[in-house]
Structure formats: structure tokens, C-alpha cells
Amino acid sequence: MTRRAIPYASSVDKANDVMRGNWLQAIEKHHQQYAGEIRDILDIGCSVGVSTKCLADKFPSAKVTGLDLSPYFLAVAQLKEKKGGPRKNPISWVHAIGEDSGLPSKSFDVVSLRYVLHECPERTIIALLKEAFRLLRPGGTIALNDIAPKSKILQELSPVLFTLMKSTEPFLDEYCLTDLEGRIREAGFVNVTSVLTDPRHRTVTGTVPH
């Protein structure tokens, strides 16, 4: 997937560096512009912890928490992180539903969801946005990295390839038709910004008002 998204990259690792680097820079730029220090980060839908590790590496002074509904994914994430050696701020792992995490209100500076929303019906997207708003401190940043429906590459896919992609993504049509920026504003966020962070994906950010 990464080589298709970044066709000019010389390797899969280089493609991953570009995709992850642009996403992380979008988070940092937005938060620096509208807030300041990043102390606590929540990664909702962390799966096996790839995005969580990236956040912890990028923001080493922050306390990072990975949250997922699957205890099996979390077990793999913990094992992979353990093999990576100790950190100044060890990653915390939480088994919970993203829409109703049970975590304290106003306890994070950044809430990130990476490649999560296209797996969800619109009602779940709305619930996730509301939960993120509850969890973020005033000035906090929500960061959503996912498929860009208006991407030229995606819009030019042949009907056969698009149908094949949808066959493994049952909520893709619903996601593409969702006005994500509008839904973020309805949840209470301001300073909503959407940038294409690679040819296939966008990062949408927003701020909880002070």
C-alpha cells in the first residue's frame, strides 16, 4: 500500500517514512499554531501499535496511550514495544471501545485516529468525534489520518479496482460521502484544517476551543 501511495519512494521503508513523517508534521504544526506543549497523546484504534510507536518516537517527552477494542492486537503491540527497549515515558495500552473509552475528561492534548474512520459507519464516526472532544483539554488537537476521497489517484481508479477495494471495506462509500470537516465542527472543534499528506491520504486537524 505504501509503495502505491508514494510511487517515487525507493523502498517500502522510504515510503513509510514519507507517509508517517507528513502525518506527524501535520499534528505538530497544528498544535504549535493553536496550543503549545504536548504532554499526553491518545491513539484511538491503535491496532498493533504502529501508529502509537510513531507518536511516541516523534514526541518523546509526551505520555502516549494506545487504545484498541481488540485484546489480541494490544497483546501484539505490547510485545513489539517490549522488544524495542525501554523509553523515558513507556507507552500505556488500554482495552476499550473508542466511542466510550471510560478515560477521564480533558486528559489529553492530542487525540489521533489513523486509518480508523474508513472502517466505520457515519454514526460511529460522529460518536468517535464526540468522545475525542470530551477527552481533549482546551486547546487540544484532534488528528484524523485517513483516505482522501477527493484524491486524484482514487478518483481515477478503474471501476474494477474501486469495486475490488470496496469489497474489503464495507463502509467505504459511507465514509467517502461523510462531510468529515463538517462533522468535526458539529462536534465542537474549531480551526479545522485538511491537508493531503500523501497522494492518497489526508490529515484533518481541529482544536478544542479555550
Side-chain angles (χ1 to χ4, degrees):
M1 183 189 78
T2 54
R3 286 300 298 274
R4 289 197 299 270
I6 313 292
Y8 56 83
S10 58
S11 67
V12 173
D13 287 342
K14 292 291 185 183
N16 277 322
D17 288 345
V18 172
M19 293 177 68
R20 294 168 185 169
N22 291 346
W23 156 63
L24 293 166
Q25 286 175 12
I27 295 174
E28 183 177 45
K29 180 180 178 181
H30 186 99
H31 198 77
Q32 285 180 345
Q33 183 174 356
Y34 297 110
E37 183 184 6
I38 297 177
R39 295 167 292 168
D40 299 281
I41 300 173
L42 177 63
D43 186 24
I44 294 179
C46 69
S47 184
V48 296
V50 174
S51 54
T52 320
K53 180 183 181 299
C54 290
L55 289 162
D57 290 344
K58 175 67 176 178
F59 305 103
S61 62
K63 295 178 181 177
V64 178
T65 300
L67 180 149
D68 204 89
L69 181 60
S70 169
Y72 307 105
F73 283 164
L74 289 172
V76 173
Q78 288 176 287
L79 180 61
K80 289 173 65 178
E81 180 63 16
K82 186 177 180 180
K83 289 182 177 179
R87 292 182 184 272
K88 176 184 175 182
N89 290 311
I91 296 173
S92 300
W93 306 98
V94 175
H95 177 218
I97 184 170
E99 307 95 295
D100 186 18
S101 68
L103 296 171
S105 299
K106 300 180 180 179
S107 54
F108 294 94
D109 302 297
V110 172
V111 171
S112 175
L113 293 94
R114 190 167 196 239
Y115 304 154
V116 173
L117 299 187
H118 75 275
E119 306 280 3
C120 304
E122 187 174 24
R123 65 180 182 277
T124 302
I125 293 174
I126 293 169
L128 286 165
L129 296 176
K130 289 180 178 178
E131 179 69 352
F133 190 87
R134 181 186 73 81
L135 292 168
L136 284 164
R137 299 180 177 114
T141 297
I142 187 171
L144 312 171
N145 183 231
D146 218 308
I147 293 169
K150 295 180 181 179
S151 160
K152 183 180 178 182
I153 290 177
L154 290 179
Q155 290 186 345
E156 292 179 353
L157 281 178
S158 70
V160 172
L161 285 176
F162 191 70
T163 300
L164 180 63
M165 185 170 71
K166 287 199 300 182
S167 70
T168 61
E169 305 288 358
F171 297 111
L172 185 60
D173 277 344
E174 198 166 346
Y175 165 78
C176 288
L177 292 172
T178 297
D179 177 8
L180 187 57
E181 290 86 347
R183 289 302 190 187
I184 293 171
R185 293 187 179 96
E186 288 173 7
F189 293 93
V190 296
N191 306 322
V192 177
T193 305
S194 180
V195 295
L196 200 65
T197 39
D198 68 64
R200 292 173 180 258
H201 302 94
R202 60 180 172 174
T203 299
V204 185
T205 48
T207 307
V208 173
H210 288 278

